[in-house]
């Protein structure tokens, strides 16, 4: 007979499993030289790691060895200093280590009743972020899985607020709700609109890619009361461009339309004093997001979603069910009620621990490293024959071209760079032109690393 408690009881077997796994976690977290690695095709993986799910199990030793020797090397290390595509990840050692504790502690982050201690700690971080962004006392939010869910949750709260306002005013809802954003807004806005079955109206940014209030005002003139929210981007993913949030906010404030700021990548830069003017107007946001798994040095996956009026968001998001009444009838702060989710991991805790450990000044300095390095390598690109910038960098994204190269040239170069395990830089595109893009997040990404990569473009 199989002992039902075999996996849970403390025994030689379970103790050895825990020790081996934690030992591996310890070694990986402390790697001096992080391997970049690269994907394998499904056929090779099936050959190297066949039939792992069996009736009797393959045992912890074998499963862990498969992970360390086959599966992990078939994954890019997103914290490698040469990983410069998309948005890299650069979790602090403290945050990585603490993520293990979040699992080991079996804490539940959805309600105050169950997780008061962790909810308190997450709120400490959210309140600090809210005050950095200039939001008033009383604002608050929740850590959700990522920017996509954060944007969706914020827009659902915005539409709910618009509906409630119409009900109070005894005004009929429009046939189709509209969200206004820049043509440069992140794809997750269109995705949210599709889930919500609302229309996206894109307002044209200026030649530099920034959206301004006048373009938003024109969109509001055209679509009137059907508009339930305007999205401004605090750092586009492709270029790191910050919209003219101040002029957009003056339009939304005047017309009484919800302003959402998508700062998934870029809003972290506001923690650097000299960058604050670029983000003027954020303080008028009704909701905003910033992803700690991007530029706040937390592991996957965490998005901080903050509302000016959490009570309104709660009306939009609280799930009601008989078995939940004991929670939802209380006045406690329940993070589950602020987004599209119910059961939730206390995913803000790794950031809390790292922030509490190192202090905010360290965060400001580490973010600043990326901005300064981007500026410096942009100047180097401009100085080199055959290379040119597509745009001046504003945050820590640098987009540039190699004169005369086709997409096929870029792709072949990119493949070689990965094969040689030097870096991960995939071709991107701008206005139909293939380009290269460095997104700099990690403080371990050095000037020398970037120059080494530029040298391969000669
Ligand atoms: C990355 C990003 C998102 C999506 O965030 P995920 O965490 O990947 O879901 C949304 N908006 C912007 C501006 C982003 O950079």
């Amino acid at each position: 007979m199989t002992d039902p408690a075999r996996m849970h009881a403390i025994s030689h077997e379970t103790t050895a499993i825990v020790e081996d796994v934690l030992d591996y976690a310890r070694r990986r977290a402390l790697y001096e030289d992080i391997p970049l690695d690269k994907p394998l095709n499904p056929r090779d993986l099936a050959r190297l790691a066949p039939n792992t799910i069996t009736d009797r199990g393959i045992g912890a030793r074998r499963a862990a060895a498969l992970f360390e020797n086959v599966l992990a090397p078939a994954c890019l290390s997103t914290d490698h200093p040469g990983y410069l595509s998309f948005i890299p990840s650069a979790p602090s050692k403290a945050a990585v280590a603490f993520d293990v504790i979040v699992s080991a502690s079996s804490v539940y982050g959805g309600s105050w009743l169950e997780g008061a201690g962790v909810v308190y700690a997450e709120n400490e971080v959210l309140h600090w972020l809210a005050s950095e962004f200039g939001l008033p006392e009383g604002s608050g939010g929740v850590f959700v899985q990522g920017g996509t869910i954060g944007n969706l949750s914020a827009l659902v709260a915005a539409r709910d607020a618009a509906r409630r306002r119409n009900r109070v005013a005894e005004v009929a809802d429009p046939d189709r709700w509209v969200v206004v954003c820049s043509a440069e807004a992140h794809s997750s806005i269109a995705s949210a609109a599709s889930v919500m079955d609302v229309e996206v109206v894109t307002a044209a940014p200026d030649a530099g890619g920034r959206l301004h209030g006048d373009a938003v005002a024109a969109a509001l003139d055209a679509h009137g009361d059907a508009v339930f929210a305007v999205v401004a981007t605090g750092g586009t993913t492709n270029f790191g461009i910050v919209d003219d949030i101040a002029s957009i906010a003056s339009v939304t404030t005047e017309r009484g339309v919800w302003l959402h700021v998508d700062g998934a990548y870029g809003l972290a830069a506001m923690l650097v004093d000299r960058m604050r003017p670029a983000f003027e107007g954020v303080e008028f946001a009704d909701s905003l997001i910033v992803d700690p798994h991007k530029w706040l040095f937390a592991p996957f996956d965490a998005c901080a979603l903050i509302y000016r009026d959490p009570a309104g968001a709660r009306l939009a998001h609280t799930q009601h069910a008989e078995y939940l009444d004991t929670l939802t009838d209380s006045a406690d702060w329940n993070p589950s009620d602020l987004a599209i989710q119910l059961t939730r991991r206390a995913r803000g805790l790794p950031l809390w621990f790292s922030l509490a450990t190192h202090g905010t000044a360290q965060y400001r300095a580490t973010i600043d490293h990326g901005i300064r390095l981007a500026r410096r390598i942009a100047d180097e690109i401009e100085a080199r024959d055959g290379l040119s910038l597509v745009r001046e960098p504003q945050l820590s994204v640098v987009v540039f071209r190699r004169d005369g190269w086709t997409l096929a040239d870029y792709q072949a170069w990119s493949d070689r760079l990965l094969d040689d395990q030097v870096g991960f830089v995939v071709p991107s595109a701008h206005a139909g032109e293939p380009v290269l893009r460095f997104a700099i997040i990690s403080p371990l990404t050095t000037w020398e690393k970037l120059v080494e990569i530029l040298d391969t473009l000669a």
Side-chain angles (χ1 to χ4, degrees):
M1 246 292 278
T2 305
D3 173 4
R6 176 183 156 203
M7 301 188 291
H8 297 75
I10 304 300
S11 65
H12 281 305
E13 184 190 21
T14 54
T15 304
I17 291 170
V18 169
E19 282 170 358
D20 287 355
V21 167
L22 291 183
D23 180 59
Y24 173 71
R26 183 180 182 285
R27 278 188 289 118
R28 173 59 180 90
L30 295 176
Y31 274 174
E32 285 279 358
D33 290 306
I34 297 161
L36 179 55
D37 294 328
K38 59 180 177 178
L40 289 180
N41 63 44
R43 198 168 13 86
D44 287 338
L45 279 174
R47 185 170 48 77
L48 294 168
N51 304 323
T52 55
I53 307 304
T54 66
D55 192 34
R56 319 216 100 228
I58 61 173
R61 279 272 149 78
R62 171 135 180 78
L66 278 177
F67 180 78
E68 182 166 355
N69 302 319
V70 178
L71 306 180
C75 301
L76 290 173
S77 300
T78 58
D79 57 345
H80 184 278
Y83 185 114
L84 300 164
S85 290
F86 311 116
I87 302 284
S89 150
S92 70
K93 297 305 175 200
V96 167
F98 209 76
D99 207 27
V100 176
I101 291 196
V102 176
S103 287
S105 306
S106 290
V107 288
Y108 177 71
S111 75
W112 189 268
L113 172 66
E114 292 151 286
V118 296
V119 174
Y120 167 82
E122 287 187 317
N123 284 346
E124 288 260 293
V125 179
L126 291 165
H127 291 152
W128 173 69
L129 288 173
S131 80
E132 286 291 322
F133 302 144
L135 292 182
E137 191 111 1
S139 54
V142 58
F143 290 96
V144 295
Q145 175 265 327
T148 299
I149 296 292
N151 283 335
L152 174 61
S153 296
L155 292 178
V156 164
R159 182 179 58 181
D160 191 68
R163 279 178 173 156
R164 272 184 283 118
R165 215 172 38 227
N166 278 353
R167 239 171 287 144
V168 170
E170 299 186 4
V171 170
D173 286 345
D175 290 337
R176 202 162 157 76
W177 289 104
V178 169
V179 55
V180 172
C181 64
S182 165
E184 301 260 347
H186 189 263
S187 52
S188 57
I189 303 301
S191 161
S194 162
V195 171
M196 295 169 69
D197 195 21
V198 301
E199 194 181 332
V200 178
V201 167
T202 53
D206 67 17
R210 286 185 91 200
L211 182 65
H212 297 270
D214 49 2
V216 169
L220 292 178
D221 288 342
H223 296 276
D225 293 339
V227 180
F228 69 92
V230 170
V231 178
T233 306
T236 58
T237 320
N238 247 353
F239 281 97
I241 296 162
V242 182
D243 285 342
D244 178 3
I245 303 173
S247 73
I248 296 169
S250 76
V251 171
T252 55
T253 303
E254 186 196 319
R255 314 261 183 129
V257 177
W258 184 293
L259 173 63
H260 174 66
V261 175
D262 176 0
Y265 152 63
L267 204 49
M270 206 176 158
L271 299 176
V272 176
D273 251 350
R274 102 191 114 72
M275 301 302 292
R276 291 185 69 84
F279 292 90
E280 210 186 298
V282 166
E283 66 274 20
F284 296 108
D286 294 288
S287 56
L288 59 80
I289 64 160
V290 59
D291 278 358
H293 65 218
K294 286 182 172 167
W295 212 359
L296 288 173
F297 317 114
F300 302 136
D301 44 21
C303 161
L305 162 63
I306 304 178
Y307 300 98
R308 173 176 297 269
D309 170 27
R314 216 172 274 125
L315 291 176
H317 287 298
T318 303
Q319 295 186 27
H320 295 278
E322 281 175 344
Y323 84 100
L324 294 172
D325 283 350
T326 184
L327 296 176
T328 50
D329 290 349
S330 83
D332 291 340
W333 183 275
N334 296 323
S336 283
D337 296 344
L338 294 166
I340 297 157
Q341 56 175 1
L342 183 60
T343 298
R344 69 176 291 274
R345 175 179 176 81
R347 53 167 50 83
L349 277 200
L351 174 58
W352 166 78
F353 179 72
S354 185
L355 259 177
T357 298
H358 296 297
T360 57
Q362 180 63 53
Y363 275 71
R364 299 184 208 282
T366 308
I367 294 164
D368 198 15
H369 161 87
I371 300 168
R372 289 182 187 280
L373 187 53
R375 181 67 260 168
R376 195 170 161 213
I377 203 67
D379 292 342
E380 176 69 16
I381 286 166
E382 275 295 87
R384 287 194 176 204
D385 285 342
L387 300 182
S388 56
L389 288 179
V390 176
R391 273 180 190 161
E392 291 296 325
Q394 193 180 359
L395 302 179
S396 71
V397 175
V398 183
V399 183
F400 60 104
R401 59 175 77 79
R402 164 72 165 76
D403 296 338
W405 273 18
T406 63
L407 180 57
D409 294 325
Y410 284 116
Q411 192 59 59
W413 169 84
S414 172
D415 291 347
R416 210 172 327 117
L417 199 71
L418 183 58
D419 277 341
D420 295 345
Q421 294 284 286
V422 174
F424 180 59
V425 182
V426 297
S428 181
H430 171 63
E433 178 196 5
V435 294
L436 291 176
R437 176 177 167 278
F438 288 162
I440 303 167
I441 297 285
S442 173
L444 302 181
T445 298
T446 57
W447 165 254
E448 289 73 20
K449 178 50 124 184
L450 298 179
V451 166
E452 179 191 0
I453 292 174
L454 289 187
D455 287 346
T456 66
L457 286 163

